[in-house]
Amino acid sequence: MSVNTRMYKIIFTILFLSAYQFASGQNLPGDKIVGEWMNEEKDSKIEIYKVGSEYFGKLLWTDELFEADGVTSKKDVRNSDEKLRTRNLLQVDILQGFVFDEDTWDDGKMYDPKSGKTYNCIMKLREKLLEIRSYIGIPLFGRSTYWQRQPKEQL
């Protein structure tokens, strides 16, 4: 193997590793909401995560998540879709399909398992709180709730 070939391989490897490190270490502005959040009433914990370019939130914990035996997950009995009424509430996506644009996560839906209703929704970070505005029709006629970020649990 010639010296030139060896140099090209070394340079290529360095560039590849540098590009990989840059891409994997990059935090996109929209990812600021990724993590665990406690709702305003402090009776539910939701994990916001990203799939592709969209953001979702799944139910991790709620005061009324289990049946009286403390083991069996309650079902989604109030869901307006009869096919979904037998699914477990644990890990159900209550936030769906949000897209980040400038300082807003928009075009998403929020499912309320207490009522079984789904609302249009937008989200914005307000200092240390996440404002979630759910609405029917236009945001002006909606209602806001504020979630607080939960610290990462230490292992």
Side-chain angles (χ1 to χ4, degrees):
M1 184 182 298
S2 72
V3 174
N4 283 342
T5 304
R6 205 175 290 148
M7 284 296 288
Y8 285 126
K9 285 184 176 183
I10 292 171
I11 291 172
F12 175 77
T13 303
I14 291 171
L15 289 175
F16 177 78
L17 291 174
S18 297
Y20 177 77
Q21 185 176 7
F22 175 76
S24 64
Q26 193 175 25
N27 285 332
L28 299 173
D31 294 352
K32 291 178 187 175
I33 64 168
V34 171
E36 293 182 5
W37 297 84
M38 184 69 72
N39 71 346
E40 191 169 356
E41 295 82 13
K42 307 258 187 270
D43 64 0
S44 298
K45 186 188 284 188
I46 297 90
E47 179 185 5
I48 297 179
Y49 63 97
K50 185 177 181 182
V51 176
S53 62
E54 294 183 340
Y55 297 86
F56 297 82
K58 65 183 171 185
L59 187 61
L60 295 179
W61 171 86
T62 184
D63 279 348
E64 299 177 14
L65 188 57
F66 296 101
E67 297 291 346
D69 66 7
V71 177
T72 308
S73 177
K74 285 192 176 181
K75 305 296 181 196
D76 194 6
V77 295
R78 291 192 175 98
N79 199 304
S80 58
D81 184 344
E82 287 185 33
K83 293 178 226 157
L84 297 177
R85 291 182 184 164
T86 58
R87 72 178 177 175
N88 292 333
L89 284 177
L90 180 63
Q91 305 277 325
V92 74
D93 277 331
I94 62 168
L95 300 175
Q96 303 165 356
F98 287 85
V99 178
F100 180 71
D101 185 26
E102 293 184 31
D103 66 342
T104 304
W105 292 262
D106 201 354
D107 299 327
K109 304 273 185 200
M110 180 177 190
Y111 173 66
D112 177 12
K114 292 177 184 175
S115 69
K117 296 181 180 179
T118 301
Y119 301 93
N120 294 322
C121 198
I122 59 174
M123 299 187 293
K124 291 184 179 189
L125 276 176
R126 304 285 188 198
E127 296 184 25
K128 294 184 179 186
L129 298 176
L130 180 63
E131 177 188 12
I132 300 174
R133 183 141 185 97
S134 53
Y135 61 93
I136 296 174
I138 60 173
L140 179 64
F141 299 118
R143 176 184 169 279
S144 288
T145 185
Y146 296 88
W147 293 1
Q148 187 170 20
R149 185 181 297 277
Q150 296 300 287
K152 292 182 180 178
E153 293 183 19
Q154 301 297 321
L155 297 176

